[in-house]
Amino acid sequence: MQGCGGWLPASSALWSSKSGSAPGHSESFLHMEMSVVFSLPGEGSFSPLPAQCGECGPGYASPLDAMKGPREEIVYVPCIYRNTGRGKPDFLATVDVDPKSPHYSQVIHRLPMPNLGDELHHSGWNTCSSCFGDTTKKRNRLILPSLISSRIYVVDVGTDPRAPRLFKVVNPEDVFWQCDLGYLHTSHCLGSGEVMISTLGDPAGNGKGGFVLLDGETFNIKGNWEKGDKSPPMGYDFWYQPRHNVLISTEWGIPKCLGYGFNPNDLKKGRYGRRLNVWDWTTHTYVQAIDVGEDAAPLEIRFLHNPDAAEGFVGCTISSAIHRFYKTECGDWAAEKVIQVPSKKVKGWLLPDMPSFITDILLSLDDRFLYFSNWIHGDVRQYDISDTRRPRLVGQVFVGGSISKGGPVVVLKDEELQSQPEPFVIQGKKVAGGPQMIQLSLDGKRLYVTTSLYSAWDRQFYPDLIRDGSVMLQIDVDTEKGGLTVNRDFLVDFGKEPGGPCMAHEMRYPGGDCTSDIWV
């Protein structure tokens, strides 16, 4: 753990925590008042708004208000054909998730992109709860950055939410020339009305952490968000929290190294990330690096949803660990490992020690539960984080993976399981791949899962996934005591697509969700 001698932020926080609690002992979010404080674009002060105020612009006044939002009826899912050999463009699928609908768990619309080889990955919104209170804003555009082509698609989901249409394309050469960045990943809307997209590297495929800033109305490139002469060596995901004057980003790896698959020889050579990178939100400058271990590859990062909380969690893929990050009493940031998923001794796999590969994490909107997926081991986990320093496992379910019985992998030593799990079969289909992207319903009772990570890695680790296509599953959540149960009535089989089997990735609800909305 890092003490007071760490690298302090370049400027003091504009907004400080109101709870005054010590790191690791934040006040219970469940006892928050049902009101919100927010910053209007261009203002530096906060003023309260009641939780119910009629038409208040996009999103919700607070995370607890969001939990009372309507049940999801459709979900947007990027679907990928790159590396499948099928010569089709990626597309955005609209999936019906309304159990009362005759089209329940079916793809009801497909919007193909106009180019090949994009590798659609993560998506975001033109505006979200960070703009709550601004009645001029509407959540009506979905931002689709492309991981490989560095192209940005802006999709109109407001005119007909069940049949999205293409609104604008930002060409990769504009990203390259105006920002000297490439390999686009996470998109977040800002309270200013702008859209910000993180990157993995520069146009040549070298590692470089940076951010592309788009105008929130025209979606023209405004330039780089970051300022100053310091930048992290890699990039990936990010989350910001203005009340603590901070943005924290993560690192996957060097694009030109990981782009063709996972090479174990790249380990120990500094080609995979190991840092959480801390930025001063006001000055846009890089101020601190937090080391979470060699070859950790920290991917998805989530602050607690309570905007007063100065802490959160990050999932480290290769090291298969969850780290809690937090603001210290000295004003800088530190991290501590709070969950370690043990590797398994195996034969018949790429390496003799098989990591779990934590590839996605999220937090329920009441900050009570942490969920994550182990893409290689094949399980989804639920942890009670009432004590953020001591997460407690309360739910687990296997829905695929590499260690199921009858496969090529034999587990020689396992610190957690007594025997290898049975192959996961649902509605007569044996699921290829492992659980990867996850998304939680607003009320926290349904967890959706897809099985594709990234097409080059899908092809390497799960060849059957490329052949048979990925799936989308739904897991019922016990929000009282904890517990996960697969909903056997729900299956979206992307192996049956008209254009042939494809890879389904991240999921978004039209009204926002716990991984896209940030309260400021």
Side-chain angles (χ1 to χ4, degrees):
M1 293 174 54
Q2 189 168 342
C4 299
W7 189 357
L8 291 174
S11 66
S12 60
L14 289 182
W15 304 282
S16 60
S17 171
K18 297 181 179 180
S19 66
S21 54
H25 298 85
S26 59
E27 293 181 355
S28 173
F29 190 17
L30 297 176
H31 298 293
M32 284 179 61
E33 294 182 4
M34 294 300 290
S35 63
V36 66
V37 286
F38 76 105
S39 175
L40 289 172
E43 294 184 356
S45 60
F46 289 86
S47 58
L49 274 181
Q52 302 294 332
C53 64
E55 181 58 46
C56 292
Y60 299 90
S62 72
L64 295 184
D65 275 357
M67 293 189 76
K68 300 175 183 178
R71 176 174 174 145
E72 68 282 359
E73 295 183 353
I74 57 175
V75 176
Y76 301 126
V77 187
C79 296
I80 293 88
Y81 275 114
R82 182 175 172 270
N83 275 316
T84 67
R86 295 184 178 95
K88 303 281 186 178
D90 300 344
F91 66 95
L92 180 68
T94 305
V95 176
D96 190 323
V97 295
D98 181 0
K100 299 178 181 178
S101 167
H103 305 294
Y104 179 56
S105 75
Q106 296 178 22
V107 177
I108 59 173
H109 185 267
R110 299 166 183 85
L111 174 66
M113 299 300 112
N115 301 281
L116 297 176
D118 285 313
E119 187 92 31
L120 300 180
H121 201 62
H122 287 205
S123 59
W125 295 106
N126 62 318
T127 185
C128 70
S129 293
S130 65
C131 295
F132 182 83
D134 186 344
T135 57
T136 67
K137 298 287 192 298
K138 291 183 179 180
R139 193 195 308 254
N140 58 0
R141 303 285 185 263
L142 186 66
I143 314 301
L144 288 173
S146 301
L147 184 63
I148 296 301
S149 71
S150 301
R151 190 174 284 110
I152 304 168
Y153 295 104
V154 181
V155 176
D156 174 5
V157 296
T159 303
D160 185 352
R162 302 178 74 86
R165 60 191 69 178
L166 192 60
F167 179 76
K168 181 169 182 168
V169 180
V170 179
N171 293 319
E173 54 267 28
D174 294 328
V175 178
F176 299 157
W177 284 108
Q178 294 186 52
C179 300
D180 192 30
L181 294 170
Y183 302 90
L184 309 179
H185 192 263
T186 298
S187 173
H188 273 305
C189 59
L190 307 184
S192 63
E194 297 165 310
V195 174
M196 186 162 146
I197 304 173
S198 61
T199 68
L200 274 68
D202 67 13
N206 302 302
K208 182 181 181 181
F211 306 91
V212 176
L213 201 61
L214 302 181
D215 183 277
E217 298 292 335
T218 66
F219 303 101
N220 292 330
I221 295 176
K222 298 182 71 173
N224 298 64
W225 176 85
E226 69 275 12
K227 298 178 181 178
D229 56 1
K230 294 180 181 178
S231 63
M234 304 175 203
Y236 188 72
D237 194 26
F238 73 100
W239 199 277
Y240 63 87
Q241 186 43 266
R243 294 193 191 183
H244 299 285
N245 194 39
V246 69
L247 178 150
I248 303 181
S249 61
T250 61
E251 303 179 340
W252 182 9
I254 297 174
K256 63 184 179 183
C257 295
L258 60 85
Y260 298 99
F262 176 70
N263 185 350
N265 293 327
D266 287 335
L267 298 176
K268 314 302 180 186
K269 293 183 179 179
R271 294 173 179 172
Y272 283 93
R274 61 183 297 166
R275 287 162 293 268
L276 307 184
N277 295 304
V278 182
W279 302 76
D280 184 294
W281 179 249
T282 307
T283 63
H284 304 188
T285 54
Y286 178 43
V287 295
Q288 182 186 350
I290 304 171
D291 194 333
V292 291
E294 187 178 44
D295 299 320
L299 295 188
E300 309 302 331
I301 185 167
R302 318 290 185 207
F303 267 87
L304 295 187
H305 294 290
N306 175 3
D308 279 337
E311 61 177 313
F313 297 90
V314 61
C316 298
T317 302
I318 300 174
S319 64
S320 304
I322 300 290
H323 290 254
R324 168 184 166 267
F325 62 88
Y326 60 94
K327 190 175 185 178
T328 74
E329 294 180 354
C330 307
D332 62 349
W333 294 79
E336 60 180 350
K337 183 164 64 175
V338 292
I339 300 172
Q340 177 65 63
V341 180
S343 294
K344 302 179 189 297
K345 295 286 186 182
V346 298
K347 66 176 181 179
W349 195 68
L350 182 66
L351 298 168
D353 292 302
M354 176 190 282
S356 74
F357 262 51
I358 298 173
T359 50
D360 195 17
I361 72 169
L362 59 78
L363 305 177
S364 60
L365 286 167
D366 57 6
D367 291 334
R368 184 183 170 195
F369 294 113
L370 162 70
Y371 299 86
F372 66 82
S373 56
N374 289 315
W375 190 58
I376 295 296
H377 286 180
D379 58 314
V380 177
R381 300 191 181 199
Q382 176 192 24
Y383 284 79
D384 186 317
I385 54 169
S386 300
D387 181 346
T388 56
R389 300 192 69 178
R390 296 171 181 83
R392 182 169 56 90
L393 180 64
V394 293
Q396 183 180 25
V397 63
F398 280 84
V399 290
S402 296
I403 61 169
S404 58
K405 292 179 180 177
V409 175
V410 176
V411 178
L412 304 176
K413 183 179 179 181
D414 193 328
E415 296 181 23
E416 296 185 315
L417 303 177
Q418 297 299 315
S419 62
Q420 294 180 229
E422 297 292 334
F424 180 68
V425 179
I426 182 170
Q427 299 183 19
K429 180 182 177 71
K430 181 181 178 182
V431 171
Q436 210 287 103
M437 294 308 298
I438 53 178
Q439 189 56 265
L440 189 66
S441 61
L442 295 178
D443 61 11
K445 296 180 179 180
R446 293 166 300 284
L447 187 70
Y448 295 93
V449 182
T450 56
T451 53
S452 168
L453 172 60
Y454 160 58
S455 65
W457 287 30
D458 293 345
R459 182 176 60 182
Q460 177 182 3
F461 288 102
Y462 293 114
D464 290 351
L465 189 61
I466 296 291
R467 184 193 67 201
D468 299 337
S470 65
V471 299
M472 179 177 167
L473 308 169
Q474 189 232 298
I475 297 172
D476 292 325
V477 179
D478 184 336
T479 57
E480 297 298 324
K481 299 179 181 179
L484 303 175
T485 308
V486 175
N487 179 352
R488 294 282 173 174
D489 295 327
F490 186 97
L491 172 67
V492 184
D493 185 354
F494 290 97
K496 295 181 178 180
E497 282 300 297
C502 64
M503 308 292 103
H505 200 66
E506 192 184 42
M507 298 156 281
R508 288 272 176 250
Y509 311 134
D513 48 65
C514 64
T515 58
S516 63
D517 277 33
I518 296 177
W519 282 266
V520 299

